[in-house]
Amino acid sequence: MATLKSKTGLNLLNRFLLWRSPGFSYSTTRTLETLAFEELRSSPDKPYTSTAFILHGLLGSGRNWRSFSRNIASSLSNSSSSEWRMVLVDLRNHGKSADIEGLDPPHDMFNAAKDLANLVKSHGWAWPDVVIGHSMGGKVALQFAQSCSRGDYGESVALPKQLWVLDSVPGEVSSENSDGEVEKVLKTLQSLPASLPSRKWLVNHMIELGFSKSLSEWIGSNLKKSGEQETWSFNLEGAIQMFNSYRETSYWSLLEHPPKGTEMGIVIAEKSDRWEPDVIQRLESLDNQKENGAEGKVAVHVLPNSGHWVHVDNPKGLLEIVAPKIASLPASYAPLHPGPVNCCEEKCGCSDRILFVLN
């Protein structure tokens, strides 16, 4: 059983905030110089046997994917022989990871993926069975698989069995092939002061500049309170560097020769404006290639009735694509610590579970 230590001046290594809602266990965790993340399990009292990492897109955070992760965990609990754990990661410069020291530049896809490996190693976890990445997170997922296959993370590494790339163009993305909305958003945010009067002010300001209400409200959701003002929950300049790396990096060679034992699912949103016909044709040709046993597999899926925000526009359809494939994977790992530890060892009757591990 874990013990609580409170010696003054000792370094905080891990901090878990765990709370129970009916049928689910959540935890939010931060480790010194590794990524912040949230953990979700549908059966908190059972040891998990498999793990999926969920990676958000530009200017987002893991919390954006809570609802979808909860739904996929519920689906897998009914259809899979494994006990699944969803790890919702805050990538460098985003969410709670934006405040962590030690995630040094360059802020690119290579280092964003390396952060995932460091997270695994720092906690002594098994390597994730599945990695799901949306938009920029999709390219981080591709880089993670590529680095795993090259041995960048050491001999103990195990490749993901499945990789899901959600509405993320795998090749270079030139500004000529972009509608410029992302660039316009970033330029607008750069023009604003570091502290803003309120979320309402920001939303109104963005709408006045011609952005949609939904996009303006989403941008506003990335503010956090700082005294009487609001500040960004992300590191804007670092995020811009990551976006530039996202646009400049290509993973066609990885998709043309996927690592043995890994299936790469590319999900194209039907109404997304990010896909050129030649890119779709190239992906479909990879999908149609015969399996030779020496390499992995690329599969292309079209998500109907969805724009770029796949988990919001058509979460049910996305679930129907992803969940059955994940459910087919065998269990691979049982943890040393099967469940959360109650902060007061259930003596005070509180509903929240909090564990602080100090060194």
Side-chain angles (χ1 to χ4, degrees):
M1 179 178 294
T3 60
L4 299 179
K5 304 177 183 179
S6 58
K7 187 175 179 180
T8 303
L10 295 177
N11 292 327
L12 179 63
L13 293 183
N14 296 305
R15 183 172 181 173
F16 300 76
L17 299 177
L18 296 99
W19 66 91
R20 295 292 299 275
S21 60
F24 284 92
S25 173
Y26 292 87
S27 69
T28 63
T29 306
R30 178 176 298 177
T31 301
L32 187 63
E33 296 189 355
T34 62
L35 298 174
F37 66 95
E38 296 182 5
E39 180 181 300
L40 185 153
R41 284 193 277 154
S42 60
S43 303
D45 297 326
K46 298 180 181 179
Y48 66 83
T49 57
S50 302
T51 296
F53 278 10
I54 315 294
L55 312 180
H56 61 81
L58 180 70
L59 304 185
S61 66
R63 68 178 184 175
N64 300 146
W65 285 81
R66 283 175 182 167
S67 179
F68 180 79
S69 297
R70 183 169 61 247
N71 290 337
I72 197 170
S74 291
S75 176
L76 292 174
S77 69
N78 297 323
S79 61
S80 173
S81 60
S82 302
E83 290 294 333
W84 279 89
R85 175 181 67 139
M86 304 290 136
V87 178
L88 287 61
V89 177
D90 284 356
L91 297 174
R92 59 168 52 210
N93 299 304
H94 292 76
K96 294 182 179 179
S97 292
D99 298 327
I100 296 178
E101 297 180 359
L103 302 178
D104 298 325
H107 299 301
D108 54 18
M109 297 298 95
F110 179 85
N111 280 322
K114 187 178 180 181
D115 293 339
L116 301 178
N118 290 339
L119 179 64
V120 170
K121 293 177 180 180
S122 69
H123 288 277
W125 292 342
W127 295 90
D129 303 271
V130 174
V131 179
I132 303 173
H134 174 239
S135 194
M136 184 182 72
K139 276 198 170 177
V140 175
L142 287 168
Q143 178 63 57
F144 180 75
Q146 180 169 281
S147 288
C148 285
S149 66
R150 291 177 175 177
D152 292 344
Y153 307 144
E155 296 180 356
S156 65
V157 69
L159 278 156
K161 298 179 181 69
Q162 287 183 11
L163 202 76
W164 290 92
V165 181
L166 309 181
D167 210 53
S168 181
V169 178
E172 295 180 11
V173 182
S174 66
S175 57
E176 289 78 11
N177 293 332
S178 171
D179 62 6
E181 183 178 50
V182 174
E183 289 86 350
K184 186 178 178 182
V185 168
L186 294 176
K187 186 175 181 179
T188 299
L189 299 188
Q190 282 181 300
S191 70
L192 297 174
S195 297
L196 302 173
S198 69
R199 182 171 300 181
K200 181 179 180 180
W201 179 91
L202 175 66
V203 171
N204 290 336
H205 180 70
M206 297 288 289
I207 292 175
E208 289 173 0
L209 292 176
F211 295 103
S212 68
K213 182 179 179 181
S214 60
L215 176 59
S216 300
E217 290 178 342
W218 179 76
I219 293 295
S221 71
N222 289 289
L223 289 173
K224 60 182 179 180
K225 199 72 175 178
S226 178
E228 298 298 320
Q229 299 283 302
E230 300 271 357
T231 60
W232 297 115
S233 60
F234 47 73
N235 179 333
L236 180 58
E237 293 305 318
I240 290 173
Q241 293 175 41
M242 294 176 72
F243 175 64
N244 290 334
S245 175
Y246 159 83
R247 292 199 309 179
E248 296 165 359
T249 310
S250 174
Y251 295 97
W252 281 118
S253 60
L254 177 69
L255 293 176
E256 289 166 353
H257 301 284
K260 182 179 180 180
T262 298
E263 180 175 354
M264 299 187 175
I266 311 297
V267 176
I268 299 173
E270 181 184 38
K271 297 181 179 179
S272 175
D273 57 5
R274 305 186 177 216
W275 298 92
E276 295 294 322
D278 62 318
V279 174
I280 296 176
Q281 184 178 9
R282 189 172 180 180
L283 285 172
E284 289 175 343
S285 68
L286 294 176
D287 190 344
N288 293 329
Q289 287 181 356
K290 294 182 179 180
E291 296 185 51
N292 59 20
E295 295 182 340
K297 170 69 176 172
V298 172
V300 178
H301 310 266
V302 177
L303 178 63
N305 302 316
S306 176
H308 180 63
W309 306 103
V310 292
H311 57 306
V312 176
D313 293 344
N314 189 0
K316 181 179 179 182
L318 183 60
L319 186 69
E320 290 172 351
I321 291 173
V322 173
K325 288 285 188 178
I326 296 179
S328 68
L329 294 175
S332 60
Y333 172 68
L336 295 176
H337 306 292
V341 179
N342 195 289
C343 63
C344 52
E345 299 182 351
E346 300 185 355
K347 293 180 181 179
C348 70
C350 65
S351 58
D352 288 351
R353 291 186 170 190
I354 303 176
L355 171 63
F356 295 89
V357 181
L358 304 178
N359 184 26

